[in-house]
Amino acid sequence: MKSLLLVEDHPVFAEALMHVLREKDDLEVVKLVDTAEKALQALPDLSIDLAVVDVSLPRMSGIELVAELSRIYPHIPCLMISGHMSGNYVRRSLEAGARGYAIKDSAAGIIEGIRRVLKGEIYVSKEIHSYDSI
Amino acid sequence: MTVVGIGASAGGLKPLQDFFEALPDDTGLAFVVVTHLHPEHESHLPEILQGSTQMNVRQVNGEIHVEPNHVYVISPNRRIMMTDTTLDVDEFDEPRGARMPIDHFFRSVARAHRSMVGIILSGSGTDGSVGIKAIKEEGGLLMVQDPNEAEYDGMPRAAIATGIVDVVLSVRELAGKLVEYIRNPSTVPDDPDALSPQQTETLQRILAHVQTRIGHDFSQYKRATVLRRVQRRMQLTGHETLEAYLNYMRHTPTEANAMFSDILIGVTNFFRDPKAWEALAEKALSAIFENKREGETIRVWTIGCSTGEEAYTAGMLLLEQAARLEKKYELQVFASDLDDPSLVQAREGIYPAAIEADVSLQRLERFFTPYDNHYQVRRELRDIVLFTNHSVLRDPPFSKLDLISCRNLLIYLNRDLHENVMDVFHYALNPGGYLFLGGSESADTAKELFHVVDKGNRIYKAKPWIGEHPHVPALPLRALRSSFPAHSVPPRSFQRRFVAGMPPLEEQHLKALEAFGPPSIWVDEDYLVLNLSESAGRYLLQPGGPITTDLLRLVRPELQIELRSALFQAFEKGRTVVSQPVLVTFNGRPHRVLVSVRPDLYKAGNNKDHPRKALVTFLEDETESPPEERQNAEQNKQGAQDDETVQQLEQKVQDLRDRLQATIEEYNSSDEEMKAANEELQSINEEYRSTTEELETSKEELQSVNEELQTVNNELRNKVDEVSLAHSDLENLMDATKIATLFLDRDLKIQRYTPGMEDLFNIHPTDRGRHIADFTHKLGYHDLVEDSRLVLRKLQTLERESTSPNGGWVLIRLHPYRTLDDRIEGVVISFVDITDVKQAERIRQNYESFYTLFHSNPIPTLLTRLEDNLVMNANQALLDYLGLPREAVLDHTAQEFNLGLDLDSKQRISLTKKLLMDGNIRNFEERIELPNGEVKSVLTSLQYIHIEGRDALLSTFIDITERVFAERQIRRLSIAVTQAEQEERRRLSQVLHDDLQQRIFAVKMQLDNLQQAHTANDQKSIQINFVKLEEWLVEAINITRQLSKDLSPLNLQGEDMTEVILWLDSQMKEQYGLEVEFINEGIHFRFDDNLQIILFQAIRELLFNVVKHAGTLEAKVTIKLEQNGSIRIIVSDEGAGFDPALVLSEDNTAHGLVTIQHQLRLFGCSLALDSNPGNGTRAVIDCPAPASGAQP
């Protein structure tokens, strides 16, 4: 059983994702926060295996959060989730220290990304053909 | 006191100085210097001469008394003359060039009869050569500078050529000679009667010496005249006594010649004493011509012709007369003189220009040709005059003459000689021929030979021959021509006319007749005694009362009756009548006298006009006494019948005697005729001799002409050199001026042209002589031939302008070609390149147009000097723009006007470079500061121009301040619009991404969950998931609906603005929870659709600002209708407030209000913000009255 931190500002999507993840036995969302600031605030009290971070967050963005996490908690891998298919976001995310980038439109893709990153792999959604070239 | 007249001209100054330097100051002479001065220049001659003499030198400007030891100098443009003892000046009558001041002065001195010396120094021309004759005639001394010394020998040579000059020496020697002449006063008295017997004898010996040397006897010449000449020669040769002079003469062979010439001086002029010549032509010549038939010869003899003037004068009159009658006559003028040099001159027929004074212009033209400052007699006149050395006293005369002109010869001759000369003249003339004498001469001593035609003018007419046959008169000096030694023939008295020359036999016969023949008396038909034989006096008895020649009164009374009857019968019947014997008592004894009267039948028969004459012979019976007579009578009575036979015999004897007498007379007559023929032959022979002499002279003349020709040739060669030099000068001049010039003759044929012509005409050096019309040219000028003819016709200069082949302009000037003697020989056409002039003119016109344009141009324009930026000119538009008067601008530097404020130095340099490269800069934008401090944006153009010889800049300034402002506004607006659009998009994108997308992702995930639940067939989970799914989809649909509503463009067409604002308020409340209080005083209005949208956006933006920045959710919108119908909309709140300057500053482009503010302004509306931090905000929008009006 792996512990996850979910940082997602849109309540409906968060609810839908939580609903999907609840069905997975090996994964458990131990904390849901809607801002990066709240995530950083909660982390010292948490023991998590992975942080799932929405790229678009109000005020402090998801990429900024990942960069901060990589610095403070380098052992916690991060998976970025986003509606943006742009390679630009992917590259910036990976540069900031994220281990994966999953597109929000597929629950299966997010699940696979979580599992792969947990295994220590780098995961980028199949839909994104070339994040470098963009 | 003697006056010394000095004539000098070119090259005369130095000789004058030398002359006066060599002259002592106390000669007692008065000197008059006559030169040719420039009429307009002041003369410094007196001052110059004063340097050479101690005598007082004065310029003569008016009447001045002549004093000894003074020098008088002519003044410019004046001629000088002498009257009595004064000098005076006068203006010239003649034009410049024909003035002869020296002649004029010399003649005036001669007229004043002053003792005079005439001196001719260096000078060209012939002035003086006529005047010296007048001096010579008055016995003056003539001196001439040696032509070899004179710088210009024209005047000296002309003077010497007259042959009357006494002394020819160098100037200094002349001075010495003059002193010698003056200091040697003659010891010989002037009056020949005052001579001592010894002096008289010496004088005769002198004349005898001359006679020996020359063969001319002056003993019969007037003593006073001869003595004056001798005195002069003595003075000249420096001899005080006649003896010394005689001695000198004996040792100086030339002196006799000099004396001879001196006595025979011939001073004469053309038409001397013109009235007399006129009278001659009128009274004598016309008559001579009338009596001649066409083709007959008219013979004239001028005696003492000297240098020929008189002979030519006579010749001219003859030719004129012949021309007037339009008939052809043989004209012959014999001209004789003793002086050979004079004859040489006469034959040459060349006279100084001064004869213009004597010969009318008409005659000069007809009878003379101008000849180098002289006149030469034309061939026509020269041919009829025959010159010969001939003495009327010595040589047989010419014969059958119609006129003898012998003027001023008789005055030199003794009265004794006059009669002889008259005889000669009478012999030489045809009966009725004319004699023309000089003014102070007359033929009164020969009344029986000549009768007067015009006493005042000394014209006489020869009476017919007295004798039946013409006699050759005695020639007084005839013997001197013989080979006998001259002095061995004693001068004879020639008082007895017609006798002296007769052969001795006839003389003896006459003497015998006188001695032994019957006394006789020669009477005319009036019975007047013409002549008496020696012994006829015995029958005459002068009665009491006046002396008479009437024979009937003179004859003894006893004879009167018989004589009257005899005379009457003889003249009446024309035959000899013998009277009855008359007893006349001589010395107490009676004598029987028979009177025979024999009329002159011979003459009477031939010439009816001839007054008839008769010879009255007295036959006297000397031996018989009265008783014897009586006895004889008785015897006669007694033997009357016996005597009949005797009477018959006697009658026969008488007949024989008569026949013999007739034969004798016949013989005598033919003898006379032969004699006359002989004489005539002699004259003809004389003529032939003259001709021979002339031919010899001509031969010599030819030689001298040849000589002259060589000289002339040399001169011509010099002339040619000069001409070629002048020609090369001319050519160089032509080349230098680069003026193409064409010389055409009168027929417009090419004479010459200058090299430049070949560029204009298709002309080559070989084309000379061809007509100009044959040539094409490259000028735009086609009237060349017509214009040339016009120039020739009008003798005016013409000027034409034409285009030239190289595209320039040419000035064509046509000018008549005048030779130096003012003849028109053609046309000179010069072609002057006036392209530059034309261009300058065009430039000037361009300048004018430029300045007209410059000043009338409404764009401010400035002309500055390139070198120092000084303002050369500024137009009114610029002055108005700057607001400065003209004088505040002109001559100031452009920098003073702050033109081009915002250009940095780098820009300036690049502009300058561009200016230098392209010559102009177009429309660069810059900012300038006007003198009133306003800053303006302008478009400046600079143009380099060269104007008025200067490099200058023409600057124009187009004010674009408003445009720049507007452009900036537009740019700002477009940025604002772009930003607003971006903002709107961003907002939309956010809405889509942050909300709608998330819900759709959630829906998709819910579908995944449903699928899993369906797979697991978990009915409960399916149920829950479906509910959720439906709920989220409804939410998503709502969001999209709202979004599409937000995105749909506003359509406020025709909407009531009040309603729109109300709707907006509700929207604000719905979207942002803003409570808007709407205060509308029941006003309804609507604007243009576009303005309605902008107003809507403005109000929405203002309300949105309240939401975003004011920190309150309450706002107020108020609408007011103003008095003038305009609408005011106020949006206010009680919130945090802000600094409106910050919000509305133009740089804060992010703010949508600014955009709206600009947009409102475009519709004539305004937006004002009033806000302070902490005190809320109040925005006021003022709109103009709506077109449809506002309704409350």
Side-chain angles (χ1 to χ4, degrees):
Chain A
M1 177 69 79
K2 298 290 182 184
S3 304
L4 305 178
L5 171 65
L6 178 60
V7 186
E8 169 58 63
D9 65 333
H10 198 279
V12 175
F13 183 78
E15 192 186 340
L17 185 57
M18 289 286 280
H19 190 81
V20 172
L21 288 173
R22 227 175 279 135
E23 300 296 319
K24 308 300 174 200
D25 297 335
D26 54 339
L27 300 172
E28 183 189 4
V29 176
V30 293
K31 185 70 175 175
L32 168 67
V33 290
D34 61 354
T35 67
E37 291 85 350
K38 283 176 183 168
L40 288 171
Q41 221 172 346
L43 265 171
D45 304 325
L46 293 174
S47 173
I48 55 167
D49 299 306
L50 179 76
V52 177
V53 179
D54 184 4
V55 170
S56 310
L57 293 171
R59 289 180 294 278
M60 191 172 173
S61 76
I63 292 170
E64 283 169 322
L65 177 61
V66 169
E68 196 65 13
L69 287 177
S70 309
R71 191 173 59 81
I72 304 169
Y73 309 103
H75 59 280
I76 300 176
C78 292
L79 173 71
M80 300 303 287
I81 54 171
S82 173
H84 297 294
M85 304 261 283
S86 160
N88 188 29
Y89 279 96
V90 178
R91 196 184 71 243
R92 279 168 62 196
S93 299
L94 294 181
E95 278 172 3
R99 305 297 296 245
Y101 191 97
I103 299 300
K104 278 186 174 175
D105 65 351
S106 165
I110 293 171
I111 300 296
E112 190 189 351
I114 290 169
R115 288 197 173 124
R116 295 272 288 270
V117 170
L118 282 172
K119 278 189 203 162
E121 294 173 21
I122 301 289
Y123 174 80
V124 176
S125 289
K126 293 187 286 287
E127 289 87 350
I128 298 166
H129 301 290
S130 169
Y131 51 88
D132 283 329
S133 63
I134 299 167
Chain B
M1 178 188 44
T2 300
V3 174
V4 181
I6 306 173
S9 187
L13 187 57
K14 183 76 173 43
L16 278 171
Q17 287 175 304
D18 289 349
F19 179 79
F20 283 111
E21 274 167 19
L23 203 68
D25 308 326
D26 54 351
T27 52
L29 300 170
F31 296 87
V32 181
V33 177
V34 184
T35 61
H36 297 149
L37 295 173
H38 193 286
E40 280 142 31
H41 288 184
E42 201 184 328
S43 167
H44 298 287
L45 190 57
E47 291 89 325
I48 294 168
L49 291 183
Q50 192 66 74
S52 305
T53 178
Q54 292 296 313
M55 288 187 280
N56 191 343
V57 182
R58 279 192 213 172
Q59 191 170 58
V60 182
N61 290 313
E63 192 169 349
I64 190 168
H65 188 78
V66 179
E67 291 175 61
N69 296 326
H70 276 65
V71 180
Y72 300 93
V73 179
I74 193 171
S75 55
N77 207 18
R78 289 284 183 276
R79 57 184 191 185
I80 192 168
M81 66 198 130
M82 181 116 200
T83 50
D84 200 14
T85 57
T86 57
L87 286 171
D88 203 351
V89 294
D90 189 8
E91 284 186 18
F92 284 104
D93 295 334
E94 305 84 0
R96 276 184 74 181
R99 296 171 174 176
M100 298 285 180
I102 303 173
D103 281 339
H104 183 79
F105 175 68
F106 284 4
R107 282 177 161 186
S108 76
V109 179
R111 272 199 302 275
H113 301 294
R114 295 297 305 249
S115 166
M116 163 135 196
V117 178
I119 301 179
I120 300 286
L121 302 179
S122 168
S124 52
T126 62
D127 195 9
S129 56
V130 173
I132 58 172
K133 289 188 182 175
I135 294 176
K136 186 76 173 189
E137 205 175 12
E138 285 298 318
L141 178 69
L142 298 177
M143 303 177 121
V144 172
Q145 186 185 11
D146 186 347
N148 296 323
E149 183 197 58
E151 193 176 338
Y152 291 87
D153 59 4
M155 278 175 23
R157 285 197 193 282
I160 292 166
T162 59
I164 57 172
V165 170
D166 299 305
V167 180
V168 178
L169 286 173
S170 75
V171 165
R172 286 179 180 279
E173 289 169 320
L174 279 183
K177 194 76 183 171
L178 180 63
V179 173
E180 199 181 300
Y181 178 76
I182 294 306
R183 300 237 161 119
N184 268 315
S186 172
T187 57
V188 181
D190 292 341
D191 185 357
D193 294 338
L195 291 172
S196 68
Q198 201 191 352
Q199 283 177 320
T200 310
E201 195 200 325
T202 314
L203 180 61
Q204 280 168 350
R205 277 159 69 190
I206 290 169
L207 295 183
H209 182 80
V210 174
Q211 191 179 352
T212 318
R213 287 276 176 192
I214 311 297
H216 193 87
D217 181 8
F218 287 112
S219 58
Q220 301 301 315
Y221 278 56
K222 275 186 185 165
R223 299 285 288 279
T225 310
V226 171
L227 185 58
R228 201 158 65 220
R229 303 299 178 205
V230 172
Q231 274 179 331
R232 240 176 51 82
R233 292 306 310 169
M234 285 167 62
Q235 256 182 306
L236 260 177
T237 53
H239 297 92
E240 291 184 24
T241 63
L242 286 168
E243 284 76 17
Y245 179 66
L246 177 58
N247 197 36
Y248 168 77
M249 194 179 239
R250 282 183 174 143
H251 293 97
T252 316
T254 54
E255 185 59 25
N257 275 313
M259 170 67 92
F260 175 72
S261 298
D262 246 20
I263 293 176
L264 288 180
I265 54 151
V267 178
T268 177
N269 292 329
F270 285 98
F271 295 95
R272 186 180 198 183
D273 197 358
K275 273 187 188 162
W277 282 104
E278 263 173 48
L280 182 75
E282 200 179 305
K283 294 176 177 166
L285 293 183
S286 51
I288 292 170
F289 276 83
E290 265 174 39
N291 289 328
K292 298 280 182 182
R293 284 192 302 277
E294 191 164 3
E296 278 194 296
T297 307
I298 293 167
R299 292 155 66 92
V300 174
W301 183 16
T302 52
I303 301 162
C305 68
S306 183
T307 45
E309 285 90 337
E310 194 175 288
Y312 288 126
T313 302
M316 281 188 255
L317 290 178
L318 287 177
L319 286 170
E320 281 171 0
Q321 191 72 32
R324 208 169 296 137
L325 295 174
E326 292 178 349
K327 288 183 182 170
K328 234 180 128 57
Y329 298 94
E330 291 290 323
L331 302 175
Q332 178 68 65
V333 177
F334 300 100
S336 66
D337 202 278
L338 290 177
D339 191 24
D340 279 324
S342 294
L343 286 172
V344 169
Q345 254 186 289
R347 287 190 185 111
E348 273 179 357
I350 295 172
Y351 298 96
I355 65 165
E356 284 167 5
D358 301 322
V359 185
S360 70
L361 191 65
Q362 218 179 341
R363 286 182 174 135
L364 277 177
E365 279 181 2
R366 165 137 187 227
F367 297 114
F368 294 85
T369 45
Y371 172 82
D372 184 27
N373 223 355
H374 290 69
Y375 285 100
Q376 181 162 31
V377 173
R378 280 184 192 273
R379 208 69 231 171
E380 181 195 12
L381 178 56
R382 176 67 188 85
D383 281 347
I384 64 167
V385 184
L386 193 86
F387 290 97
T388 179
N389 188 315
H390 178 283
S391 167
V392 72
L393 299 178
R394 185 184 63 198
D395 302 318
F398 299 95
S399 56
K400 294 188 192 291
L401 297 166
D402 296 296
L403 170 67
I404 291 176
S405 164
C406 178
R407 313 190 73 211
N408 300 313
L409 171 71
L410 297 178
I411 52 170
Y412 294 107
L413 301 181
N414 254 332
R415 215 168 168 70
D416 292 347
L417 284 177
H418 281 201
E419 292 181 18
N420 290 92
V421 172
M422 285 299 162
D423 281 343
V424 172
F425 290 169
H426 189 261
Y427 166 76
L429 284 169
N430 284 329
Y434 289 86
L435 175 64
F436 184 39
L437 297 177
S440 50
E441 299 159 338
S442 84
D444 293 347
T445 54
K447 275 186 182 158
E448 68 284 355
L449 297 179
F450 297 97
H451 63 81
V452 174
V453 175
D454 185 333
K455 193 171 179 66
N457 292 312
R458 308 292 187 243
I459 302 170
Y460 301 89
K461 190 171 183 180
K463 291 185 178 174
W465 306 108
I466 289 172
E468 290 187 355
H469 311 292
H471 294 274
V472 176
L475 297 170
L477 304 180
R478 176 78 182 147
L480 298 180
R481 283 286 282 187
S482 71
S483 55
F484 297 111
H487 57 270
S488 67
V489 178
R492 289 195 46 190
S493 168
F494 301 98
Q495 281 145 329
R496 299 198 51 181
R497 293 173 286 133
F498 305 123
V499 178
M502 283 186 179
L505 267 180
E506 194 177 28
E507 198 175 331
Q508 285 167 22
H509 182 205
L510 279 174
K511 275 185 180 170
L513 272 179
E514 278 295 332
F516 311 115
S520 61
I521 297 174
W522 186 233
V523 296
D524 63 11
E525 62 187 340
D526 297 331
Y527 313 153
L528 296 178
V529 176
L530 294 173
N531 204 10
L532 296 174
S533 69
E534 258 178 16
S535 52
R538 124 192 209 100
Y539 302 100
L540 303 180
L541 199 67
Q542 183 72 38
I547 290 174
T548 179
T549 56
D550 188 340
L551 181 61
L552 290 179
R553 290 189 64 199
L554 271 174
V555 78
R556 282 175 173 269
E558 301 96 311
L559 293 168
Q560 270 182 6
I561 295 169
E562 284 298 327
L563 183 59
R564 184 189 300 275
S565 138
L567 280 169
F568 178 78
Q569 285 185 33
F571 277 116
E572 196 69 10
K573 296 179 179 168
R575 60 178 178 85
T576 303
V577 177
V578 180
S579 72
Q580 294 298 311
V582 179
L583 273 178
V584 180
T585 310
F586 294 109
N587 300 326
R589 289 184 52 167
H591 287 251
R592 248 179 7 168
V593 175
L594 279 173
V595 181
S596 151
V597 179
R598 182 188 166 85
D600 185 356
L601 293 174
Y602 176 76
K603 274 292 167 192
N606 278 344
N607 189 346
K608 288 203 164 62
D609 292 341
H610 194 273
R612 302 195 309 175
K613 308 229 173 34
L615 184 69
V616 180
T617 318
F618 298 93
L619 300 170
E620 192 177 328
D621 182 0
E622 208 171 19
T623 52
E624 273 186 73
S625 62
E628 283 171 347
E629 195 185 330
R630 212 175 294 127
Q631 192 185 358
N632 220 354
E634 282 167 8
Q635 281 177 347
N636 281 349
K637 282 176 189 170
Q638 289 169 357
Q641 289 183 348
D642 301 333
D643 286 348
E644 211 164 290
T645 318
V646 176
Q647 272 189 355
Q648 281 174 352
L649 286 173
E650 276 181 350
Q651 189 59 47
K652 254 181 196 170
V653 168
Q654 186 60 40
D655 286 350
L656 286 171
R657 197 176 288 147
D658 286 350
R659 206 169 292 153
L660 178 64
Q661 184 61 33
T663 310
I664 288 167
E665 279 175 8
E666 220 169 280
Y667 166 75
N668 280 345
S669 163
S670 56
D671 185 36
E672 289 288 329
E673 273 171 25
M674 295 289 279
K675 223 176 285 168
N678 184 35
E679 292 301 328
E680 208 171 305
L681 283 172
Q682 271 187 5
S683 280
I684 290 167
N685 187 31
E686 201 60 35
E687 282 177 25
Y688 281 138
R689 198 180 302 158
S690 300
T691 314
T692 311
E693 280 170 20
E694 269 200 31
L695 283 173
E696 273 171 15
T697 318
S698 297
K699 187 182 155 203
E700 281 164 20
E701 259 176 58
L702 279 175
Q703 279 172 350
S704 75
V705 164
N706 192 29
E707 203 60 38
E708 267 174 45
L709 281 176
Q710 279 179 0
T711 318
V712 168
N713 193 29
N714 278 335
E715 262 174 47
L716 281 178
R717 202 177 301 147
N718 287 339
K719 273 266 163 61
V720 166
D721 288 348
E722 271 173 41
V723 166
S724 68
L725 185 67
H727 188 242
S728 93
D729 283 353
L730 200 63
E731 279 199 345
N732 278 307
L733 181 69
M734 289 294 189
D735 286 350
T737 53
K738 292 199 171 170
I739 295 172
T741 309
L742 182 64
F743 296 85
L744 302 181
D745 66 9
R746 292 195 67 90
D747 302 325
L748 305 187
K749 286 175 179 159
I750 296 169
Q751 291 289 302
R752 277 181 302 285
Y753 63 87
T754 60
M757 283 306 299
E758 285 164 350
D759 299 337
L760 302 174
F761 277 73
N762 302 320
I763 190 171
H764 300 287
T766 51
D767 292 333
R768 285 184 189 172
R770 290 183 59 191
H771 198 279
I772 189 61
D774 298 344
F775 295 92
T776 58
H777 57 75
K778 303 161 189 163
L779 297 168
Y781 172 55
H782 305 292
D783 303 329
L784 186 67
V785 174
E786 288 73 18
D787 282 347
S788 301
R789 291 202 175 114
L790 193 67
V791 166
L792 281 175
R793 201 164 59 243
K794 303 217 163 166
L795 302 183
Q796 284 173 340
T797 300
L798 283 180
E799 288 192 355
R800 299 278 187 261
E801 284 182 6
S802 160
T803 51
S804 71
N806 56 10
W809 281 85
V810 171
L811 175 69
I812 301 160
R813 186 177 288 134
L814 298 96
H815 193 79
Y817 185 103
R818 281 177 199 276
T819 60
L820 288 178
D821 47 357
D822 217 28
R823 271 177 310 157
I824 304 302
E825 288 289 344
V827 187
V828 186
I829 307 171
S830 59
F831 301 81
V832 185
D833 188 339
I834 53 162
T835 309
D836 290 348
V837 177
K838 279 272 176 190
Q839 218 155 25
E841 195 180 333
R842 207 159 51 220
I843 286 170
R844 193 181 53 74
Q845 284 171 354
N846 284 350
Y847 279 170
E848 273 174 23
S849 335
F850 168 80
Y851 278 116
T852 308
L853 210 62
F854 180 83
H855 285 295
S856 60
N857 175 16
I859 298 169
T861 311
L862 186 67
L863 187 65
T864 51
R865 274 203 322 232
L866 193 63
E867 50 184 294
D868 53 10
N869 263 337
L870 220 56
V871 175
M872 292 167 72
N873 216 328
N875 70 355
Q876 194 55 43
L878 183 83
L879 298 174
D880 293 346
Y881 190 58
L882 293 178
L884 289 176
R886 183 172 291 275
E887 56 271 20
V889 175
L890 290 189
D891 293 332
H892 289 68
T893 59
Q895 283 90 334
E896 287 176 49
F897 309 111
N898 294 321
L899 306 172
L901 276 182
D902 54 354
L903 295 178
D904 59 27
S905 59
K906 203 169 146 192
Q907 279 173 304
R908 279 182 198 282
I909 289 167
S910 82
L911 280 176
T912 310
K913 270 186 190 165
K914 185 181 181 317
L915 189 60
L916 287 176
M917 268 169 57
D918 302 350
N920 61 52
I921 297 168
R922 298 265 178 259
N923 297 332
F924 72 90
E925 197 177 327
E926 60 171 355
R927 293 204 299 157
I928 64 173
E929 184 182 354
L930 297 182
N932 65 8
E934 260 185 84
V935 172
K936 295 281 189 184
S937 292
V938 291
L939 270 185
T940 303
S941 292
L942 298 178
Q943 173 68 49
Y944 164 81
I945 59 171
H946 190 82
I947 189 166
E948 293 172 359
R950 290 179 180 285
D951 291 327
L953 272 185
L954 188 69
S955 315
T956 54
F957 304 95
I958 300 171
D959 190 314
I960 53 162
T961 308
E962 284 188 10
R963 198 176 88 193
V964 166
F965 182 75
E967 276 176 359
R968 202 167 292 161
Q969 294 288 76
I970 286 164
R971 193 160 59 238
R972 207 174 283 143
L973 275 177
S974 84
I975 291 168
V977 167
T978 309
Q979 281 172 340
E981 189 185 292
Q982 289 289 330
E983 180 67 17
E984 190 67 13
R985 282 173 156 208
R986 194 184 56 74
R987 198 169 66 82
L988 276 174
S989 159
Q990 207 173 345
V991 168
L992 286 172
H993 175 270
D994 291 358
D995 201 358
L996 187 59
Q997 200 175 23
Q998 302 302 323
R999 289 181 199 273
I1000 290 165
F1001 289 152
V1003 167
K1004 190 158 185 288
M1005 276 186 199
Q1006 199 62 28
L1007 280 173
D1008 288 347
N1009 286 337
L1010 262 179
Q1011 191 155 11
Q1012 278 180 5
H1014 179 68
T1015 309
N1017 203 15
D1018 182 351
Q1019 288 300 319
K1020 189 183 174 210
S1021 182
I1022 291 168
Q1023 188 65 41
I1024 293 167
N1025 282 330
F1026 260 120
V1027 173
K1028 273 281 178 201
L1029 186 64
E1030 191 184 10
E1031 182 187 334
W1032 291 345
L1033 276 173
V1034 169
E1035 281 177 15
I1037 287 161
N1038 282 341
I1039 287 169
T1040 53
R1041 191 179 292 131
Q1042 180 65 40
L1043 202 60
S1044 76
K1045 194 174 176 186
D1046 284 355
L1047 284 174
S1048 78
L1050 278 170
N1051 185 2
L1052 302 178
Q1053 194 175 2
E1055 293 285 346
D1056 186 318
M1057 206 53 203
T1058 309
E1059 296 300 323
V1060 171
I1061 294 169
L1062 265 177
W1063 178 79
L1064 177 64
D1065 290 349
S1066 67
Q1067 282 289 306
M1068 289 310 289
K1069 179 164 169 68
E1070 193 179 315
Q1071 281 188 344
Y1072 305 106
L1074 182 68
E1075 292 287 349
V1076 180
E1077 185 187 355
F1078 185 48
I1079 302 167
N1080 176 19
E1081 296 158 348
I1083 301 164
H1084 294 273
F1085 60 96
R1086 53 177 71 83
F1087 287 112
D1088 173 84
D1089 291 344
N1090 294 321
L1091 178 56
Q1092 300 236 89
I1093 290 167
I1094 291 166
L1095 276 177
F1096 172 83
Q1097 285 173 340
I1099 296 165
R1100 188 180 67 179
E1101 194 65 30
L1102 286 168
L1103 292 173
F1104 192 62
N1105 265 329
V1106 174
V1107 174
K1108 278 205 287 192
H1109 303 292
T1112 176
L1113 285 175
E1114 286 179 17
K1116 198 190 312 183
V1117 175
T1118 312
I1119 293 173
K1120 283 185 178 174
L1121 175 64
E1122 296 289 315
Q1123 291 289 319
N1124 58 3
S1126 62
I1127 304 291
R1128 175 170 276 191
I1129 301 166
I1130 303 162
V1131 179
S1132 56
D1133 67 78
E1134 304 286 322
F1138 55 91
D1139 184 356
L1142 207 66
V1143 174
L1144 287 179
S1145 86
E1146 292 181 1
D1147 293 328
N1148 187 5
T1149 50
H1151 212 288
L1153 272 181
V1154 177
T1155 312
I1156 286 167
Q1157 192 177 31
H1158 288 315
Q1159 286 175 341
L1160 281 173
R1161 212 178 279 166
L1162 291 175
F1163 286 91
C1165 305
S1166 67
L1167 167 62
L1169 277 177
D1170 181 17
S1171 177
N1172 282 310
N1175 286 337
T1177 305
R1178 179 183 152 91
V1180 180
I1181 300 170
D1182 279 317
C1183 305
S1188 53
Q1191 289 125 28

